[in-house]
Amino acid sequence: MPAAPDPQPARPLEADEADALLAPLAEFRRLALAVSGGPDSSCLLWLAAQWCARRRQAGQPAPEFHVLTVDHGLRAAAREEARHVVAFATRLGVPATVLTWHPPGLRSGIQAAARAARYRLMRDAMSDLGCEALVLGHHRDDQIETFLDRLTRGSGVFGLRAMSLDTPSGPEGLRLLRPLLDVPRLRLEATVRQAGLAVVDDPSNRAPEFKRVRLRRMAGHLASEGLDDDRLLATIRRMAGAAAALDAWATREIVARVVQHPAGPVALDPDGLPGLPEDVRLRLLGRLLRRVGGSETVPRFERLQRLDQRLGEPQPFTATLAGCVVDRAAGRIRIWREPGRRSAAAAAVALAPGARLLWDGRFHVSLADGAAPVRIEPAGHGSDATPAAGRGGFPASAFARAPLLRRADGDAAIVPGFAPLPEGVTVTPLDPSGM
C-alpha cells in the first residue's frame, strides 16, 4: 500500500484575506489590541498594522490601535516578554502599554485568576484611552478547544455556541472582537514565519497539567474517529443559530415582563411563565441573574434548572444564586443584588471629570467634562438615601449594594431612582434585554 501523501503546508494569509477579515474593524475610531507576544496575537498585531497602512495609503479611514500587554508575573520571563511586545509594537508604529498584575499566592485556579485580572486591567486602561472595543487573537483551534471544554462541563446550547466574532458584552462589560476566529492556527503561524517575526514561547501551552492542552491533544483522537475540525465547527454553528433564536425569544419576554429599578433590582411578571419552553425560561433567568448580580457568566445549567422548578411552584420562597436574592411573593418575582456579596469592582471610587467606568459589573457610570468630582460607593445597610416611597415594592435590603453618589464636598448621598443625580453624572444599569 502506498504511503499517505504528506499534508500540504499551511498557507500564510494573503493581504486580500486579511483585508476581508479585518474590514469590520473599520467602523471603530479607537481599538485596543490584546497582545501577549505569542504567535497568534503577534500575527494579529502584524496584520492590523499592515491593514491600517494599506487603508490610509488608499485614502480610507482606519481605526487607531493601542496595544495592551500584561506582565502577569507568573513566569520569570514575563516582564521581558512584555517589553518584547512593546518593542515590536513600536517598530510597527503602534503605541503600547504594559499592565502589571501581582499574582496572589494561589495554589489552584491561577489561570482563571490571571484571565480575570487581565480583563480588569484592560478595562481600566481602555477607559483611560477611550477605546471602544478589545480585539483578541482567538482562532479556529481556540474555538474548538472552547467547545470541547464546555462540553465536558455539561454546558447547554448557549455554552456550546462557543465564542463569537463580536461579543457586545464580555468580561468586565467589554466589547470583544475576534476577527481571526475562523482562521486555523497553522495559517497564523505560517504568516508569522513568512514575516520573519520573533514571537514569545509560552511553555504553559504545552504543559499537560492544563486542561486546554489535554483537550488539544484529544481533538486529534476525535478526528481519527470522524469527529474532525469541520464537523465540530458545523456543530458550533448550529448551536450558535439555536442560541440566537432562543435569545431573541428571551429578549421579547424580558421586554414584556421585566421592570428594572434605576438602582438595579428587577421585578418579573410570572404570569404565563410556566407555558414557555424551558430553554427560554432558563435563558431569561440566566440573563437577569447575570445583569443584577454583575457576574461575567450565567450560573450552571443544573442550578438554573432547580431555580426554574421552584419558581414554577405556587408557594412563596426566597433563594440566592449567582450573587442575587430571588424572591417570589405577592404574585411576582423580584431579584436584587445579594447584600452580603462584596467585590473589588464595587469598591468606593472617586470620579474625576470625563471619567467613565463599569461599576460592580452592573452600572455604566460617567461624569461629564467640567462637572464637579463625585464619589461612588455601595449604599450599605441602613442607608437613609432609599426611602420606602421610592423602593418600588422592594425591601430596603435590595438596595444595600446599590450605587450611592456623593459630591467631593460630602453633600447629600444620592441613589439612582430616589433623587435627581448630581449635574453631569450618568448612572445606567446594564439592560438585560440588550445582552
Side-chain angles (χ1 to χ4, degrees), residues 3-11 186:
D6 292 334
Q8 293 294 316
R11 294 183 298 106
L186 291 177

Side-chain angles (χ1 to χ4, degrees), residues 4-28:
D6 292 334
Q8 293 294 316
R11 294 183 298 106
L13 287 168
E14 302 291 343
D16 58 343
E17 293 178 285
D19 289 349
L21 291 168
L22 299 175
L25 306 186
E27 68 177 83
F28 297 91

Side-chain angles (χ1 to χ4, degrees), residues 346-410:
V349 178
L351 294 177
R356 295 177 297 167
L357 60 85
L358 178 69
W359 186 80
D360 197 26
R362 300 182 293 143
F363 296 88
H364 287 300
V365 182
S366 63
L367 184 61
D369 291 329
V374 299
R375 179 182 177 86
I376 182 170
E377 60 191 59
H381 292 283
S383 170
D384 58 3
T386 58
R391 291 179 190 154
F394 293 96
S397 60
F399 301 96
R401 309 305 295 172
L404 181 145
L405 295 111
R406 299 181 190 273
R407 285 294 191 194
D409 56 13

Side-chain angles (χ1 to χ4, degrees), residues 1-332:
M1 177 180 294
D6 292 334
Q8 293 294 316
R11 294 183 298 106
L13 287 168
E14 302 291 343
D16 58 343
E17 293 178 285
D19 289 349
L21 291 168
L22 299 175
L25 306 186
E27 68 177 83
F28 297 91
R29 182 179 59 86
R30 184 173 298 158
L31 293 167
L33 287 174
V35 181
S36 67
D40 311 333
S41 59
S42 295
C43 186
L44 172 66
L45 172 55
W46 168 259
L47 293 173
Q50 302 301 313
W51 171 70
C52 281
R54 287 192 295 272
R55 288 186 65 87
R56 292 184 178 123
Q57 188 173 15
Q60 299 173 320
E64 297 176 18
F65 285 111
H66 195 107
V67 167
L68 300 178
T69 189
V70 178
D71 173 5
H72 49 67
L74 296 176
R75 298 192 315 277
R79 181 170 299 179
E80 187 56 39
E81 290 169 359
R83 291 173 178 164
H84 163 82
V85 170
V86 171
F88 177 38
T90 302
R91 288 199 303 273
L92 295 175
V94 181
T97 299
V98 176
L99 310 173
T100 303
W101 182 53
H102 301 288
L106 298 176
R107 294 188 176 182
S108 63
I110 189 66
Q111 283 201 326
R115 175 182 179 275
R118 283 196 300 271
Y119 282 119
R120 188 168 59 250
L121 290 167
M122 290 185 181
R123 174 206 66 195
D124 293 343
M126 289 170 62
S127 178
D128 292 340
L129 294 166
C131 295
E132 301 158 82
L134 179 64
V135 189
L136 302 166
H138 292 141
H139 47 73
R140 191 179 74 166
D141 300 62
D142 291 325
Q143 180 78 308
I144 291 170
E145 289 166 21
T146 298
F147 173 81
L148 293 174
D149 178 49
R150 294 179 181 178
L151 189 63
T152 66
R153 299 174 188 271
S155 294
V157 169
F158 289 93
L160 297 180
R161 66 180 172 178
M163 296 183 286
S164 303
L165 289 166
D166 186 343
T167 302
S169 183
E172 301 295 337
L174 295 174
R175 184 172 183 179
L176 306 181
L177 305 174
R178 301 180 177 92
L180 307 180
L181 193 57
D182 293 331
V183 181
R185 172 179 51 84
L186 291 177
R187 293 202 67 193
L188 300 182
E189 292 177 350
T191 305
V192 165
R193 286 194 301 272
Q194 183 185 64
L197 305 180
V199 297
V200 168
D201 177 35
D202 182 353
S204 68
N205 289 328
R206 299 184 298 276
E209 60 265 31
F210 296 118
K211 185 178 181 181
R212 279 190 173 269
V213 176
R214 299 194 300 273
L215 289 172
R216 198 176 307 141
R217 295 175 179 177
M218 186 178 74
H221 298 297
L222 293 174
S224 67
E225 297 295 336
L227 189 57
D228 59 13
D229 288 358
D230 288 340
R231 288 191 176 179
L232 285 169
L233 291 165
T235 301
I236 293 169
R237 286 192 293 270
R238 286 193 288 270
M239 289 295 180
L246 291 171
D247 243 343
W249 194 340
T251 296
R252 293 195 297 271
E253 297 297 331
I254 289 172
V255 170
R257 296 174 180 275
V258 174
V259 175
Q260 185 168 34
H261 192 285
V266 300
L268 169 64
D269 177 7
D271 186 39
L273 203 60
L276 296 174
E278 182 188 46
D279 282 339
V280 175
R281 294 197 309 270
L282 296 181
R283 185 57 176 171
L284 185 156
L285 288 173
R287 285 170 55 173
L288 291 179
L289 290 169
R290 180 182 173 191
R291 281 306 188 220
V292 174
S295 174
E296 291 182 10
T297 58
V298 300
R300 290 285 183 90
F301 181 83
E302 297 83 359
R303 294 181 179 181
L304 269 181
Q305 201 170 40
R306 286 196 295 270
L307 176 62
D308 176 59
Q309 289 168 354
R310 293 196 67 185
L311 290 175
E313 299 168 358
Q315 59 267 32
F317 81 97
T318 300
T320 58
L321 181 61
C324 298
V325 176
V326 182
D327 175 83
R328 173 164 184 153
R332 67 175 181 165

